[in-house]
Amino acid sequence: MPALGFVCPLLTHRGAHPPSRRLQDYRQVRHEPGAPPRRPGHPYPRGVPDEIPLRYTERLFLPWWLWIVGFSVAGLLAAEIHLGAPGLRSWVPYAILLPVTGVGLWWLGRIRIAVAGDVLEVDDARLPVRYIAAVELLSPEQKRELLGPRAHPFAFVVQRPWIRGVAKVILSDPEDPTPYWVVSCRRPDQLAAAVRAAASAQPGTGGA
């Protein structure tokens, strides 16, 4: 979309989701009798039940200044189309570009990160903490390396340029070709602590 073209090339969202074997494995987690039915592909119902601890959650919302920039660009583009012309050109560009820009800005910040129960959730990807070997906090230099010359082709990456913090989640499942996840988050230290707490709560599982 025109008003967001300056942002979209900076986004990164690539990599393989956990394999179907693992999805089928942990869809059975905490399925209590009488609980609401799960949607296909989701380990929990849409609302996380109260008995499942929510150790960490955040959404990668856009900062306020990007909203101003986005709507300003959309307004300028609509004004360029309008150019004082009467009739439909006096309002149609604004009626189309401004709502579309608003939806696009919301979509860019829709990603949710959470540690719910014993599962790390990043958007629609789910990873049980028992498959996590470690969570590392990356410096800006390490982030540039992992997203650039040292990028692994099978890594799962959710990167948002307006968020400074980055966590690297190292996987320990030998049957998963994904070596690690690289995830933008505002509080990577708290995310790492939440994963460790969830891992330590599992019987026979060490901390991440």
Side-chain angles (χ1 to χ4, degrees):
M1 98 195 22
L4 301 177
F6 68 99
V7 174
C8 292
L10 301 177
L11 303 179
T12 307
H13 195 151
R14 67 173 186 267
H17 287 257
S20 57
R21 178 195 63 78
R22 184 186 301 169
L23 285 171
Q24 294 172 357
D25 181 16
Y26 66 80
R27 275 180 191 151
Q28 309 304 319
V29 175
R30 299 182 185 273
H31 182 49
E32 302 294 337
R38 298 183 177 90
R39 298 170 58 227
H42 291 262
Y44 303 124
R46 198 56 166 175
V48 178
D50 292 338
E51 66 270 15
I52 298 179
L54 189 62
R55 305 178 189 273
Y56 180 91
T57 182
E58 75 164 302
R59 285 197 184 273
L60 306 185
F61 293 118
L62 274 74
W64 61 268
W65 58 268
L66 268 181
W67 285 84
I68 294 176
V69 171
F71 279 114
S72 298
V73 172
L76 288 173
L77 182 59
E80 286 291 325
I81 298 173
H82 175 203
L83 289 177
L88 292 178
R89 283 180 56 184
S90 65
W91 62 271
V92 169
Y94 302 95
I96 294 177
L97 289 176
L98 293 179
V100 167
T101 298
V103 171
L105 290 168
W106 169 85
W107 181 85
L108 290 175
R110 80 194 188 285
I111 300 296
R112 177 178 179 268
I113 300 172
V115 179
D118 57 357
V119 176
L120 170 63
E121 306 176 2
V122 179
D123 196 17
D124 59 348
R126 308 289 190 269
L127 179 65
V129 296
R130 66 177 178 271
Y131 293 116
I132 297 177
V135 179
E136 300 178 357
L137 280 59
L138 301 182
S139 66
E141 294 75 16
Q142 292 172 320
K143 172 184 173 180
R144 283 192 293 269
E145 287 289 321
L146 278 182
L147 296 179
R150 292 180 52 199
H152 194 287
F154 296 143
F156 177 74
V157 179
V158 177
Q159 188 263 337
R160 295 295 182 263
W162 57 84
I163 296 178
R164 287 177 171 270
V166 182
K168 179 183 179 182
V169 181
I170 303 174
L171 276 63
S172 61
D173 184 0
E175 298 187 27
D176 190 342
T178 306
Y180 55 81
W181 291 12
V182 177
V183 181
S184 292
C185 54
R186 293 182 173 88
R187 305 184 304 276
D189 54 338
Q190 296 182 25
L191 175 63
V195 170
R196 287 193 294 268
S200 63
Q202 303 306 303
T205 304

